[in-house]
Amino acid sequence: MEKRAMTTIWITGDQTTMRSRALTGADPATSVVLMIESLARSKRVPYHKRKLVLIYAGMRHFADDLRAAGWTVDYYTEVPDFAEPLAAHVRKYAPVAMRMMQQSEYGVTERYTALAAEHGLAVDVFPHANFLSEANDLDVLASKPTSRVTMETFYRRMRKKTGLLLDDGEPVGGQWNLDHDNREKPKKGMRFPAPPRFAPDAHTQDVIAMVERHFGDHPGIIGDFALPVSRADALIALDDFIENRLDGFGPSQDAMLAGERTMNHSLLSHAINTGLLDPMECCERAELAYRAGAARLNSVEGFIRQLIGWREYIWRVYWKFMPEYKERNALGADLPLPAFFWNGGTSMFCLEKSIAHVRETGYAHHILRLMVLGNFGLIAGIAPLEMHDWFWAMFVDGYDWVMAPNVIGMTLHADGGYVGTKPYAASANYINGMSDYCKPCRYDPKLAVGENACPFNALYWDFLGRNEARFAKNQRMAMVMRNWSAKDDTTRAALRDRAATLRKRLRAGDAL
Ligand code: FAD
Ligand code: SF4
């Protein structure tokens, strides 16, 4: 029988989707899918153990799905790196070409194609299938190549492009953005439907043992792992969100409760980022729920905006400005990341609880990331790259593309205000109003100076004072800067003293 020329399709850990054009344009009869569990790749960053379970279990389940769909899969488990398995694969199949989807991290596609070139393989690289936008969707909106494009402008373009929540080309309900309806304060005794749990099957149990064996020194705990790691389970998780939490998603979006880790959030980011779920199918399901009268418009619009607005915008900003974006530090922040981010040892209740969530689950919802963990980093002046690396390591949905614009841009304002026109800085007043954290806390949210004063307060005012010249030019900061200016010299000096003491203690490695 004539031996057919084979093509290799190399699939990596965050590409577990049948939508990949590396697959859809290929013929299973003349292709072999290559999948490699490189231990070195997972040691580059001290990833949370749960994240590693998600990636490896996701790969093994996806390999099963591929085989069931008629593909040949050449799978290498627990190997030191990519080089030897790739060589073994080439010896086994003698491929004449390689196909690959674009890697999500800057510079990695080039590294992998260079590796393939060592075996004489030219690689056809296909656009990433986990995103709906193209580079042009951002670029076309900029008057000059360097001009800023806001998320809101980009989002409206994406609504028109996808046709989501449109009636005759106009936004359903008459408004593009219903965020103003989504800022309800948490109410006492609020309860939320628990997300579904997926008991680990044999594959996942093997992976859990493997992660403990090779990555025992990584942060986080695997605990009673119950996240979806297959397409089938991810679809169940999506159904459950649409049926049980989507309707309440909007109103409670900004609320924080110490006893409620997930609230009405979807918990789908990790499955969307690895390709188990298609962002478009998530949006379409949400729109259908609205049209069927099963979910209110402000919730559905809010959810769709997170996906086709924020998520796509973040992806585009990353590719537009990398690699220099990660070096940005517009506010000159240089405080080392406090050790309590890793070990949880702080008396600040909101931070202690949030860090505990992350250590135990690899997850915290958006407002905890932005307004507690990130806000502290912003006003204390933590070095952007150190903060970025912590988030990247600790979150199950963390990838470089999503961390850089979210942490360096949105959270720390270190990109000079591209992602957000105004910094998301807040004092204890905000946290106290939007959560139940302050009551049991050792610190007093109403005080700004003195040993019992909440550190967020003096750090917040001092942050405004430190950056007075810059923020004076920012219209959106006018009101808070007026509040700072209205303080008398004695008050300002006291706030600055308290903040200097706190920052000195943080710099010395003391916990607060
Ligand atoms: P939901 O609240 O249910 O939101 C729905 C979906 O919208 C998410 O699943 C996600 O896919 C998307 N989304 C919403 N906001 C963003 C955003 N700003 N950027 C990208 N996608 C968004 N998201 C990640 O996917 N990975 C990260 O590592 C990550 N790190 C973050 C770090 C910081 C400091 C901040 C402020 C935000 C970060 N985000 C990240 C964005 C957002 O917080 C998470 O996507 C969200 O909390 C994930 O939980 P969920 O699936 O329950 O989201
Ligand atoms: Fe956080 Fe301050 Fe409230 Fe304590 S008092 S929970 S540190 S905001």
PDB file of all heavy atoms in Angstrom, residues 378-381 455-468 471 481 484 487 491-503:
ATOM      1  N   LEU A 378      -2.380  48.869  43.597  1.00  0.00           N
ATOM      2  CA  LEU A 378      -2.336  50.191  42.951  1.00  0.00           C
ATOM      3  C   LEU A 378      -1.994  51.284  43.964  1.00  0.00           C
ATOM      4  O   LEU A 378      -1.051  52.060  43.761  1.00  0.00           O
ATOM      5  CB  LEU A 378      -3.711  50.470  42.313  1.00  0.00           C
ATOM      6  CG  LEU A 378      -3.961  51.876  41.787  1.00  0.00           C
ATOM      7  CD1 LEU A 378      -3.109  52.132  40.538  1.00  0.00           C
ATOM      8  CD2 LEU A 378      -5.445  52.085  41.447  1.00  0.00           C
ATOM      9  N   ILE A 379      -2.742  51.356  45.048  1.00  0.00           N
ATOM     10  CA  ILE A 379      -2.543  52.491  45.957  1.00  0.00           C
ATOM     11  C   ILE A 379      -1.294  52.321  46.825  1.00  0.00           C
ATOM     12  O   ILE A 379      -0.676  53.301  47.220  1.00  0.00           O
ATOM     13  CB  ILE A 379      -3.807  52.797  46.801  1.00  0.00           C
ATOM     14  CG1 ILE A 379      -4.189  51.612  47.668  1.00  0.00           C
ATOM     15  CG2 ILE A 379      -4.959  53.245  45.898  1.00  0.00           C
ATOM     16  CD1 ILE A 379      -5.448  51.859  48.524  1.00  0.00           C
ATOM     17  N   ALA A 380      -0.888  51.074  47.073  1.00  0.00           N
ATOM     18  CA  ALA A 380       0.357  50.874  47.841  1.00  0.00           C
ATOM     19  C   ALA A 380       1.576  51.121  46.947  1.00  0.00           C
ATOM     20  O   ALA A 380       2.651  51.427  47.437  1.00  0.00           O
ATOM     21  CB  ALA A 380       0.404  49.464  48.420  1.00  0.00           C
ATOM     22  N   GLY A 381       1.405  50.969  45.642  1.00  0.00           N
ATOM     23  CA  GLY A 381       2.521  51.208  44.709  1.00  0.00           C
ATOM     24  C   GLY A 381       3.368  49.974  44.455  1.00  0.00           C
ATOM     25  O   GLY A 381       4.597  50.055  44.340  1.00  0.00           O
ATOM     26  N   PRO A 455      -5.678  50.481  56.446  1.00  0.00           N
ATOM     27  CA  PRO A 455      -4.572  50.913  55.589  1.00  0.00           C
ATOM     28  C   PRO A 455      -5.026  51.430  54.218  1.00  0.00           C
ATOM     29  O   PRO A 455      -4.351  52.262  53.610  1.00  0.00           O
ATOM     30  CB  PRO A 455      -3.727  49.644  55.440  1.00  0.00           C
ATOM     31  CG  PRO A 455      -4.021  48.846  56.672  1.00  0.00           C
ATOM     32  CD  PRO A 455      -5.459  49.120  56.976  1.00  0.00           C
ATOM     33  N   PHE A 456      -6.179  50.936  53.734  1.00  0.00           N
ATOM     34  CA  PHE A 456      -6.640  51.395  52.422  1.00  0.00           C
ATOM     35  C   PHE A 456      -6.820  52.918  52.400  1.00  0.00           C
ATOM     36  O   PHE A 456      -6.652  53.544  51.364  1.00  0.00           O
ATOM     37  CB  PHE A 456      -7.977  50.735  52.053  1.00  0.00           C
ATOM     38  CG  PHE A 456      -7.816  49.393  51.377  1.00  0.00           C
ATOM     39  CD1 PHE A 456      -7.815  48.225  52.126  1.00  0.00           C
ATOM     40  CD2 PHE A 456      -7.648  49.293  50.006  1.00  0.00           C
ATOM     41  CE1 PHE A 456      -7.664  46.987  51.510  1.00  0.00           C
ATOM     42  CE2 PHE A 456      -7.507  48.061  49.382  1.00  0.00           C
ATOM     43  CZ  PHE A 456      -7.506  46.901  50.144  1.00  0.00           C
ATOM     44  N   ASN A 457      -7.202  53.509  53.563  1.00  0.00           N
ATOM     45  CA  ASN A 457      -7.543  54.928  53.560  1.00  0.00           C
ATOM     46  C   ASN A 457      -6.337  55.837  53.332  1.00  0.00           C
ATOM     47  O   ASN A 457      -6.310  56.626  52.383  1.00  0.00           O
ATOM     48  CB  ASN A 457      -8.274  55.284  54.853  1.00  0.00           C
ATOM     49  CG  ASN A 457      -9.658  54.660  54.874  1.00  0.00           C
ATOM     50  OD1 ASN A 457     -10.248  54.433  53.813  1.00  0.00           O
ATOM     51  ND2 ASN A 457     -10.170  54.348  56.053  1.00  0.00           N
ATOM     52  N   ALA A 458      -5.334  55.720  54.201  1.00  0.00           N
ATOM     53  CA  ALA A 458      -4.170  56.603  54.033  1.00  0.00           C
ATOM     54  C   ALA A 458      -3.462  56.307  52.707  1.00  0.00           C
ATOM     55  O   ALA A 458      -3.015  57.227  52.004  1.00  0.00           O
ATOM     56  CB  ALA A 458      -3.206  56.411  55.197  1.00  0.00           C
ATOM     57  N   LEU A 459      -3.411  55.020  52.351  1.00  0.00           N
ATOM     58  CA  LEU A 459      -2.737  54.680  51.079  1.00  0.00           C
ATOM     59  C   LEU A 459      -3.478  55.304  49.900  1.00  0.00           C
ATOM     60  O   LEU A 459      -2.861  55.772  48.932  1.00  0.00           O
ATOM     61  CB  LEU A 459      -2.642  53.159  50.909  1.00  0.00           C
ATOM     62  CG  LEU A 459      -1.664  52.436  51.844  1.00  0.00           C
ATOM     63  CD1 LEU A 459      -1.802  50.919  51.717  1.00  0.00           C
ATOM     64  CD2 LEU A 459      -0.213  52.846  51.551  1.00  0.00           C
ATOM     65  N   TYR A 460      -4.795  55.349  49.999  1.00  0.00           N
ATOM     66  CA  TYR A 460      -5.602  55.929  48.915  1.00  0.00           C
ATOM     67  C   TYR A 460      -5.309  57.430  48.772  1.00  0.00           C
ATOM     68  O   TYR A 460      -5.003  57.918  47.678  1.00  0.00           O
ATOM     69  CB  TYR A 460      -7.091  55.706  49.221  1.00  0.00           C
ATOM     70  CG  TYR A 460      -8.026  56.476  48.323  1.00  0.00           C
ATOM     71  CD1 TYR A 460      -8.232  56.088  46.999  1.00  0.00           C
ATOM     72  CD2 TYR A 460      -8.715  57.602  48.796  1.00  0.00           C
ATOM     73  CE1 TYR A 460      -9.098  56.796  46.172  1.00  0.00           C
ATOM     74  CE2 TYR A 460      -9.582  58.309  47.969  1.00  0.00           C
ATOM     75  CZ  TYR A 460      -9.764  57.901  46.662  1.00  0.00           C
ATOM     76  OH  TYR A 460     -10.616  58.606  45.842  1.00  0.00           O
ATOM     77  N   TRP A 461      -5.387  58.144  49.899  1.00  0.00           N
ATOM     78  CA  TRP A 461      -5.171  59.597  49.806  1.00  0.00           C
ATOM     79  C   TRP A 461      -3.733  59.902  49.379  1.00  0.00           C
ATOM     80  O   TRP A 461      -3.482  60.804  48.584  1.00  0.00           O
ATOM     81  CB  TRP A 461      -5.495  60.276  51.141  1.00  0.00           C
ATOM     82  CG  TRP A 461      -6.969  60.259  51.426  1.00  0.00           C
ATOM     83  CD1 TRP A 461      -7.612  59.566  52.407  1.00  0.00           C
ATOM     84  CD2 TRP A 461      -7.992  60.949  50.687  1.00  0.00           C
ATOM     85  NE1 TRP A 461      -8.972  59.775  52.339  1.00  0.00           N
ATOM     86  CE2 TRP A 461      -9.229  60.628  51.282  1.00  0.00           C
ATOM     87  CE3 TRP A 461      -7.984  61.792  49.572  1.00  0.00           C
ATOM     88  CZ2 TRP A 461     -10.446  61.132  50.823  1.00  0.00           C
ATOM     89  CZ3 TRP A 461      -9.196  62.301  49.117  1.00  0.00           C
ATOM     90  CH2 TRP A 461     -10.405  61.967  49.727  1.00  0.00           C
ATOM     91  N   ASP A 462      -2.815  59.142  49.926  1.00  0.00           N
ATOM     92  CA  ASP A 462      -1.414  59.354  49.569  1.00  0.00           C
ATOM     93  C   ASP A 462      -1.165  59.055  48.086  1.00  0.00           C
ATOM     94  O   ASP A 462      -0.372  59.720  47.419  1.00  0.00           O
ATOM     95  CB  ASP A 462      -0.543  58.448  50.449  1.00  0.00           C
ATOM     96  CG  ASP A 462       0.939  58.670  50.188  1.00  0.00           C
ATOM     97  OD1 ASP A 462       1.402  59.810  50.383  1.00  0.00           O
ATOM     98  OD2 ASP A 462       1.618  57.714  49.771  1.00  0.00           O
ATOM     99  N   PHE A 463      -1.883  58.057  47.570  1.00  0.00           N
ATOM    100  CA  PHE A 463      -1.782  57.724  46.143  1.00  0.00           C
ATOM    101  C   PHE A 463      -2.212  58.924  45.295  1.00  0.00           C
ATOM    102  O   PHE A 463      -1.540  59.289  44.319  1.00  0.00           O
ATOM    103  CB  PHE A 463      -2.658  56.505  45.843  1.00  0.00           C
ATOM    104  CG  PHE A 463      -2.856  56.210  44.390  1.00  0.00           C
ATOM    105  CD1 PHE A 463      -1.846  55.623  43.630  1.00  0.00           C
ATOM    106  CD2 PHE A 463      -4.062  56.507  43.753  1.00  0.00           C
ATOM    107  CE1 PHE A 463      -2.030  55.342  42.273  1.00  0.00           C
ATOM    108  CE2 PHE A 463      -4.257  56.232  42.402  1.00  0.00           C
ATOM    109  CZ  PHE A 463      -3.230  55.652  41.659  1.00  0.00           C
ATOM    110  N   LEU A 464      -3.313  59.562  45.699  1.00  0.00           N
ATOM    111  CA  LEU A 464      -3.759  60.753  44.962  1.00  0.00           C
ATOM    112  C   LEU A 464      -2.710  61.859  45.085  1.00  0.00           C
ATOM    113  O   LEU A 464      -2.372  62.534  44.102  1.00  0.00           O
ATOM    114  CB  LEU A 464      -5.105  61.259  45.493  1.00  0.00           C
ATOM    115  CG  LEU A 464      -6.294  60.295  45.361  1.00  0.00           C
ATOM    116  CD1 LEU A 464      -7.568  60.963  45.867  1.00  0.00           C
ATOM    117  CD2 LEU A 464      -6.496  59.853  43.912  1.00  0.00           C
ATOM    118  N   GLY A 465      -2.189  62.029  46.298  1.00  0.00           N
ATOM    119  CA  GLY A 465      -1.187  63.083  46.523  1.00  0.00           C
ATOM    120  C   GLY A 465       0.090  62.821  45.737  1.00  0.00           C
ATOM    121  O   GLY A 465       0.637  63.736  45.099  1.00  0.00           O
ATOM    122  N   ARG A 466       0.550  61.572  45.738  1.00  0.00           N
ATOM    123  CA  ARG A 466       1.795  61.219  45.018  1.00  0.00           C
ATOM    124  C   ARG A 466       1.666  61.492  43.527  1.00  0.00           C
ATOM    125  O   ARG A 466       2.637  61.771  42.851  1.00  0.00           O
ATOM    126  CB  ARG A 466       2.108  59.723  45.195  1.00  0.00           C
ATOM    127  CG  ARG A 466       2.578  59.304  46.558  1.00  0.00           C
ATOM    128  CD  ARG A 466       3.363  57.980  46.519  1.00  0.00           C
ATOM    129  NE  ARG A 466       2.764  56.848  45.832  1.00  0.00           N
ATOM    130  CZ  ARG A 466       1.895  55.992  46.359  1.00  0.00           C
ATOM    131  NH1 ARG A 466       1.479  56.158  47.594  1.00  0.00           N
ATOM    132  NH2 ARG A 466       1.432  54.968  45.661  1.00  0.00           N
ATOM    133  N   ASN A 467       0.444  61.350  43.025  1.00  0.00           N
ATOM    134  CA  ASN A 467       0.258  61.478  41.572  1.00  0.00           C
ATOM    135  C   ASN A 467      -0.552  62.718  41.205  1.00  0.00           C
ATOM    136  O   ASN A 467      -1.195  62.767  40.149  1.00  0.00           O
ATOM    137  CB  ASN A 467      -0.445  60.219  41.046  1.00  0.00           C
ATOM    138  CG  ASN A 467       0.422  58.988  41.218  1.00  0.00           C
ATOM    139  OD1 ASN A 467       1.443  58.852  40.541  1.00  0.00           O
ATOM    140  ND2 ASN A 467       0.056  58.110  42.128  1.00  0.00           N
ATOM    141  N   GLU A 468      -0.493  63.724  42.082  1.00  0.00           N
ATOM    142  CA  GLU A 468      -1.334  64.911  41.923  1.00  0.00           C
ATOM    143  C   GLU A 468      -1.149  65.561  40.546  1.00  0.00           C
ATOM    144  O   GLU A 468      -2.119  65.900  39.863  1.00  0.00           O
ATOM    145  CB  GLU A 468      -0.990  65.915  43.031  1.00  0.00           C
ATOM    146  CG  GLU A 468      -2.042  66.951  43.248  1.00  0.00           C
ATOM    147  CD  GLU A 468      -1.848  67.680  44.591  1.00  0.00           C
ATOM    148  OE1 GLU A 468      -0.833  67.435  45.282  1.00  0.00           O
ATOM    149  OE2 GLU A 468      -2.728  68.501  44.909  1.00  0.00           O
ATOM    150  N   PHE A 471      -2.809  63.414  37.780  1.00  0.00           N
ATOM    151  CA  PHE A 471      -4.265  63.290  37.819  1.00  0.00           C
ATOM    152  C   PHE A 471      -4.971  64.646  37.657  1.00  0.00           C
ATOM    153  O   PHE A 471      -6.155  64.688  37.313  1.00  0.00           O
ATOM    154  CB  PHE A 471      -4.725  62.601  39.102  1.00  0.00           C
ATOM    155  CG  PHE A 471      -4.237  61.171  39.232  1.00  0.00           C
ATOM    156  CD1 PHE A 471      -4.047  60.570  40.466  1.00  0.00           C
ATOM    157  CD2 PHE A 471      -3.957  60.413  38.091  1.00  0.00           C
ATOM    158  CE1 PHE A 471      -3.601  59.267  40.578  1.00  0.00           C
ATOM    159  CE2 PHE A 471      -3.503  59.099  38.193  1.00  0.00           C
ATOM    160  CZ  PHE A 471      -3.320  58.531  39.438  1.00  0.00           C
ATOM    161  N   MET A 481      -9.824  64.625  43.065  1.00  0.00           N
ATOM    162  CA  MET A 481      -8.667  65.504  43.278  1.00  0.00           C
ATOM    163  C   MET A 481      -9.106  66.769  44.030  1.00  0.00           C
ATOM    164  O   MET A 481      -8.348  67.306  44.827  1.00  0.00           O
ATOM    165  CB  MET A 481      -7.987  65.861  41.940  1.00  0.00           C
ATOM    166  CG  MET A 481      -7.297  64.691  41.247  1.00  0.00           C
ATOM    167  SD  MET A 481      -6.359  63.581  42.318  1.00  0.00           S
ATOM    168  CE  MET A 481      -4.956  64.586  42.786  1.00  0.00           C
ATOM    169  N   TRP A 484      -9.121  65.876  47.622  1.00  0.00           N
ATOM    170  CA  TRP A 484      -7.748  65.862  48.161  1.00  0.00           C
ATOM    171  C   TRP A 484      -7.278  67.303  48.413  1.00  0.00           C
ATOM    172  O   TRP A 484      -6.749  67.616  49.481  1.00  0.00           O
ATOM    173  CB  TRP A 484      -6.819  65.134  47.186  1.00  0.00           C
ATOM    174  CG  TRP A 484      -5.351  65.281  47.474  1.00  0.00           C
ATOM    175  CD1 TRP A 484      -4.426  65.901  46.687  1.00  0.00           C
ATOM    176  CD2 TRP A 484      -4.626  64.798  48.620  1.00  0.00           C
ATOM    177  NE1 TRP A 484      -3.180  65.838  47.252  1.00  0.00           N
ATOM    178  CE2 TRP A 484      -3.265  65.161  48.456  1.00  0.00           C
ATOM    179  CE3 TRP A 484      -4.986  64.099  49.781  1.00  0.00           C
ATOM    180  CZ2 TRP A 484      -2.273  64.860  49.377  1.00  0.00           C
ATOM    181  CZ3 TRP A 484      -3.993  63.785  50.705  1.00  0.00           C
ATOM    182  CH2 TRP A 484      -2.668  64.171  50.506  1.00  0.00           C
ATOM    183  N   LYS A 487      -8.438  69.208  51.557  1.00  0.00           N
ATOM    184  CA  LYS A 487      -7.932  68.849  52.902  1.00  0.00           C
ATOM    185  C   LYS A 487      -6.889  69.863  53.344  1.00  0.00           C
ATOM    186  O   LYS A 487      -6.095  70.343  52.521  1.00  0.00           O
ATOM    187  CB  LYS A 487      -7.313  67.443  52.867  1.00  0.00           C
ATOM    188  CG  LYS A 487      -8.349  66.376  52.611  1.00  0.00           C
ATOM    189  CD  LYS A 487      -7.818  64.995  52.879  1.00  0.00           C
ATOM    190  CE  LYS A 487      -8.853  63.941  52.546  1.00  0.00           C
ATOM    191  NZ  LYS A 487     -10.097  64.012  53.283  1.00  0.00           N
ATOM    192  N   THR A 491      -3.980  67.752  57.897  1.00  0.00           N
ATOM    193  CA  THR A 491      -4.601  66.458  57.558  1.00  0.00           C
ATOM    194  C   THR A 491      -3.790  65.743  56.485  1.00  0.00           C
ATOM    195  O   THR A 491      -3.517  64.544  56.582  1.00  0.00           O
ATOM    196  CB  THR A 491      -6.048  66.689  57.049  1.00  0.00           C
ATOM    197  OG1 THR A 491      -6.722  67.506  57.993  1.00  0.00           O
ATOM    198  CG2 THR A 491      -6.778  65.390  56.832  1.00  0.00           C
ATOM    199  N   ARG A 492      -3.405  66.499  55.493  1.00  0.00           N
ATOM    200  CA  ARG A 492      -2.616  65.882  54.419  1.00  0.00           C
ATOM    201  C   ARG A 492      -1.312  65.299  54.958  1.00  0.00           C
ATOM    202  O   ARG A 492      -0.915  64.192  54.601  1.00  0.00           O
ATOM    203  CB  ARG A 492      -2.246  66.931  53.381  1.00  0.00           C
ATOM    204  CG  ARG A 492      -3.404  67.312  52.498  1.00  0.00           C
ATOM    205  CD  ARG A 492      -2.804  67.767  51.237  1.00  0.00           C
ATOM    206  NE  ARG A 492      -3.536  68.820  50.607  1.00  0.00           N
ATOM    207  CZ  ARG A 492      -3.267  69.214  49.384  1.00  0.00           C
ATOM    208  NH1 ARG A 492      -2.259  68.713  48.726  1.00  0.00           N
ATOM    209  NH2 ARG A 492      -3.970  70.155  48.831  1.00  0.00           N
ATOM    210  N   ALA A 493      -0.649  66.069  55.844  1.00  0.00           N
ATOM    211  CA  ALA A 493       0.631  65.601  56.388  1.00  0.00           C
ATOM    212  C   ALA A 493       0.413  64.324  57.198  1.00  0.00           C
ATOM    213  O   ALA A 493       1.199  63.365  57.106  1.00  0.00           O
ATOM    214  CB  ALA A 493       1.259  66.689  57.248  1.00  0.00           C
ATOM    215  N   ALA A 494      -0.696  64.281  57.949  1.00  0.00           N
ATOM    216  CA  ALA A 494      -0.964  63.091  58.775  1.00  0.00           C
ATOM    217  C   ALA A 494      -1.226  61.867  57.881  1.00  0.00           C
ATOM    218  O   ALA A 494      -0.753  60.752  58.153  1.00  0.00           O
ATOM    219  CB  ALA A 494      -2.159  63.348  59.680  1.00  0.00           C
ATOM    220  N   LEU A 495      -1.972  62.080  56.800  1.00  0.00           N
ATOM    221  CA  LEU A 495      -2.264  60.971  55.878  1.00  0.00           C
ATOM    222  C   LEU A 495      -0.975  60.484  55.221  1.00  0.00           C
ATOM    223  O   LEU A 495      -0.739  59.280  55.078  1.00  0.00           O
ATOM    224  CB  LEU A 495      -3.265  61.425  54.804  1.00  0.00           C
ATOM    225  CG  LEU A 495      -4.704  61.648  55.289  1.00  0.00           C
ATOM    226  CD1 LEU A 495      -5.529  62.373  54.235  1.00  0.00           C
ATOM    227  CD2 LEU A 495      -5.353  60.302  55.640  1.00  0.00           C
ATOM    228  N   ARG A 496      -0.146  61.461  54.859  1.00  0.00           N
ATOM    229  CA  ARG A 496       1.114  61.093  54.185  1.00  0.00           C
ATOM    230  C   ARG A 496       2.031  60.332  55.145  1.00  0.00           C
ATOM    231  O   ARG A 496       2.688  59.374  54.755  1.00  0.00           O
ATOM    232  CB  ARG A 496       1.807  62.341  53.660  1.00  0.00           C
ATOM    233  CG  ARG A 496       1.134  62.853  52.400  1.00  0.00           C
ATOM    234  CD  ARG A 496       1.948  63.943  51.753  1.00  0.00           C
ATOM    235  NE  ARG A 496       1.723  63.950  50.328  1.00  0.00           N
ATOM    236  CZ  ARG A 496       1.523  65.052  49.612  1.00  0.00           C
ATOM    237  NH1 ARG A 496       1.525  66.238  50.190  1.00  0.00           N
ATOM    238  NH2 ARG A 496       1.343  64.968  48.317  1.00  0.00           N
ATOM    239  N   ASP A 497       2.048  60.770  56.395  1.00  0.00           N
ATOM    240  CA  ASP A 497       2.878  60.090  57.406  1.00  0.00           C
ATOM    241  C   ASP A 497       2.431  58.642  57.591  1.00  0.00           C
ATOM    242  O   ASP A 497       3.238  57.729  57.622  1.00  0.00           O
ATOM    243  CB  ASP A 497       2.730  60.785  58.766  1.00  0.00           C
ATOM    244  CG  ASP A 497       3.762  61.880  58.921  1.00  0.00           C
ATOM    245  OD1 ASP A 497       4.515  62.096  57.959  1.00  0.00           O
ATOM    246  OD2 ASP A 497       3.781  62.514  59.997  1.00  0.00           O
ATOM    247  N   ARG A 498       1.127  58.511  57.749  1.00  0.00           N
ATOM    248  CA  ARG A 498       0.582  57.154  57.969  1.00  0.00           C
ATOM    249  C   ARG A 498       0.893  56.259  56.741  1.00  0.00           C
ATOM    250  O   ARG A 498       1.323  55.127  56.884  1.00  0.00           O
ATOM    251  CB  ARG A 498      -0.928  57.251  58.198  1.00  0.00           C
ATOM    252  CG  ARG A 498      -1.693  55.951  58.097  1.00  0.00           C
ATOM    253  CD  ARG A 498      -1.628  55.121  59.358  1.00  0.00           C
ATOM    254  NE  ARG A 498      -2.513  53.965  59.276  1.00  0.00           N
ATOM    255  CZ  ARG A 498      -2.238  52.784  59.793  1.00  0.00           C
ATOM    256  NH1 ARG A 498      -1.111  52.572  60.434  1.00  0.00           N
ATOM    257  NH2 ARG A 498      -3.106  51.790  59.684  1.00  0.00           N
ATOM    258  N   ALA A 499       0.702  56.810  55.553  1.00  0.00           N
ATOM    259  CA  ALA A 499       0.972  56.023  54.343  1.00  0.00           C
ATOM    260  C   ALA A 499       2.458  55.684  54.252  1.00  0.00           C
ATOM    261  O   ALA A 499       2.835  54.562  53.885  1.00  0.00           O
ATOM    262  CB  ALA A 499       0.527  56.792  53.103  1.00  0.00           C
ATOM    263  N   ALA A 500       3.318  56.649  54.623  1.00  0.00           N
ATOM    264  CA  ALA A 500       4.763  56.394  54.554  1.00  0.00           C
ATOM    265  C   ALA A 500       5.142  55.269  55.513  1.00  0.00           C
ATOM    266  O   ALA A 500       5.937  54.381  55.170  1.00  0.00           O
ATOM    267  CB  ALA A 500       5.534  57.666  54.886  1.00  0.00           C
ATOM    268  N   THR A 501       4.521  55.275  56.702  1.00  0.00           N
ATOM    269  CA  THR A 501       4.806  54.208  57.676  1.00  0.00           C
ATOM    270  C   THR A 501       4.364  52.857  57.111  1.00  0.00           C
ATOM    271  O   THR A 501       5.082  51.855  57.191  1.00  0.00           O
ATOM    272  CB  THR A 501       4.044  54.481  59.002  1.00  0.00           C
ATOM    273  OG1 THR A 501       4.374  55.793  59.417  1.00  0.00           O
ATOM    274  CG2 THR A 501       4.383  53.479  60.070  1.00  0.00           C
ATOM    275  N   LEU A 502       3.165  52.840  56.527  1.00  0.00           N
ATOM    276  CA  LEU A 502       2.650  51.574  55.981  1.00  0.00           C
ATOM    277  C   LEU A 502       3.541  51.063  54.855  1.00  0.00           C
ATOM    278  O   LEU A 502       3.893  49.888  54.796  1.00  0.00           O
ATOM    279  CB  LEU A 502       1.219  51.778  55.450  1.00  0.00           C
ATOM    280  CG  LEU A 502       0.133  52.057  56.496  1.00  0.00           C
ATOM    281  CD1 LEU A 502      -1.157  52.530  55.829  1.00  0.00           C
ATOM    282  CD2 LEU A 502      -0.136  50.792  57.324  1.00  0.00           C
ATOM    283  N   ARG A 503       3.928  51.988  53.975  1.00  0.00           N
ATOM    284  CA  ARG A 503       4.757  51.577  52.830  1.00  0.00           C
ATOM    285  C   ARG A 503       6.139  51.128  53.293  1.00  0.00           C
ATOM    286  O   ARG A 503       6.721  50.203  52.728  1.00  0.00           O
ATOM    287  CB  ARG A 503       4.840  52.713  51.805  1.00  0.00           C
ATOM    288  CG  ARG A 503       3.571  52.748  50.912  1.00  0.00           C
ATOM    289  CD  ARG A 503       3.307  54.069  50.257  1.00  0.00           C
ATOM    290  NE  ARG A 503       4.410  54.653  49.563  1.00  0.00           N
ATOM    291  CZ  ARG A 503       4.767  54.427  48.292  1.00  0.00           C
ATOM    292  NH1 ARG A 503       4.061  53.570  47.580  1.00  0.00           N
ATOM    293  NH2 ARG A 503       5.782  55.040  47.750  1.00  0.00           N
TER     294      ARG A 503
END
